[in-house]
Amino acid sequence: MRPGRLWWWIQRDCKRGGRAAWHDHVTSKKILLWKHPGYPLAEVPVCVLTGRETWLLTCWMLASWTHFTERSWKIVLHDDGTLTPEIISRLHAMFPHFSVVPLLESDAGMEPVLRTYPHCATYRKQHPLARKIFDVPFYCKEQRFILLDSDVLFFQKPVEILQWVDSGSEECRFNRDAQDALLVSPAEAEAKFSVKLWPQANSGICLLYRPALDCQ
């Protein structure tokens, strides 16, 4: 480990306290002992954007998701550019139906798609989370898919989500945020783009119908 990163870790742990540091360095790694139960495979894939800093959170999220849904899922992992072969190998061992979209592959694939949308291309380059908007629907070939953030954790059966999965619904659904987090106001979006924004939409849990997000 480089001295600069070690110093950053020490500063971070001092700021957040001993209990948080213990959970980060010790408790979080216990998820690697989890064994996949081998449930029947669902048809709707689950997409996640993650990297070196969040892959253990991704494991906790996917394990809790699998446990409470009592199903196996096709996991499509979008690399933010920091995943290592060792991390990918560990994820493969934990989740049998698993694939990765590497950063270089997604950059090459999205360049011609966004060539005529320069503002979107710039936004994607400047904000890593923008890959959830552009890359995920482009690389997901199924008509319906679920997008989950790494820091989501399930504590009971997600009945409403499974109803959406089983019904074949072509609606898009999002979990509700505590407040709006918008770059433009709802009034401005409607006036300039003829788009009525959903209130308090959060992208941590998304149930998506791909034609509604088609970039082409």
Side-chain angles (χ1 to χ4, degrees), residues 11 13 38 89 105 108 144-145 166 174 191 194 202:
Q11 288 182 309
D13 288 349
S89 177
E105 178 182 327
R144 300 187 311 135
F145 59 95
D166 295 335
F174 302 83
S194 300
N202 183 291

Side-chain angles (χ1 to χ4, degrees), residues 57-212:
L57 289 178
T58 298
C59 291
W60 281 97
M61 181 273 290
L62 290 175
S64 68
W65 165 254
T66 301
H67 175 79
F68 284 108
T69 60
E70 298 183 334
R71 305 183 192 190
S72 298
W73 300 85
K74 292 179 286 185
I75 309 299
V76 182
L77 194 69
H78 288 260
D79 177 15
D80 69 0
T82 62
L83 288 178
T84 65
E86 179 184 1
I87 292 173
I88 293 173
S89 177
R90 285 178 175 270
L91 288 164
H92 269 298
M94 294 180 68
F95 304 99
H97 308 284
F98 175 86
S99 62
V100 179
V101 181
L103 178 64
L104 292 178
E105 178 182 327
S106 62
D107 284 346
M110 293 308 301
E111 192 279 329
V113 174
L114 298 180
R115 189 175 298 154
T116 54
Y117 304 97
H119 295 301
C120 292
T122 300
Y123 176 65
R124 180 182 175 274
K125 289 179 181 179
Q126 293 178 345
H127 300 280
L129 292 180
R131 298 177 187 278
K132 292 165 58 177
I133 302 173
F134 302 111
D135 300 35
V136 171
F138 179 76
Y139 281 97
C140 186
K141 302 308 178 185
E142 287 84 351
Q143 291 290 87
R144 300 187 311 135
F145 59 95
I146 297 171
L147 176 61
L148 297 175
D149 275 359
S150 297
D151 58 357
V152 172
L153 200 59
F154 294 88
F155 293 93
Q156 62 185 18
K157 187 173 184 178
V159 176
E160 293 84 356
I161 297 178
L162 293 178
Q163 287 174 346
W164 180 88
V165 169
D166 295 335
S167 69
S169 171
E170 297 178 355
E171 295 179 336
C172 293
R173 299 183 184 180
F174 302 83
N175 61 312
R176 184 180 293 276
D177 208 333
Q179 60 184 4
D180 285 319
L182 305 171
L183 299 176
V184 298
S185 68
E188 185 180 3
E190 191 163 9
K192 290 187 176 181
F193 307 110
S194 300
V195 173
K196 188 173 183 180
L197 298 178
W198 287 3
Q200 298 172 269
N202 183 291
S203 64
I205 300 176
C206 306
L207 315 179
L208 298 169
Y209 179 53
R210 192 166 64 87

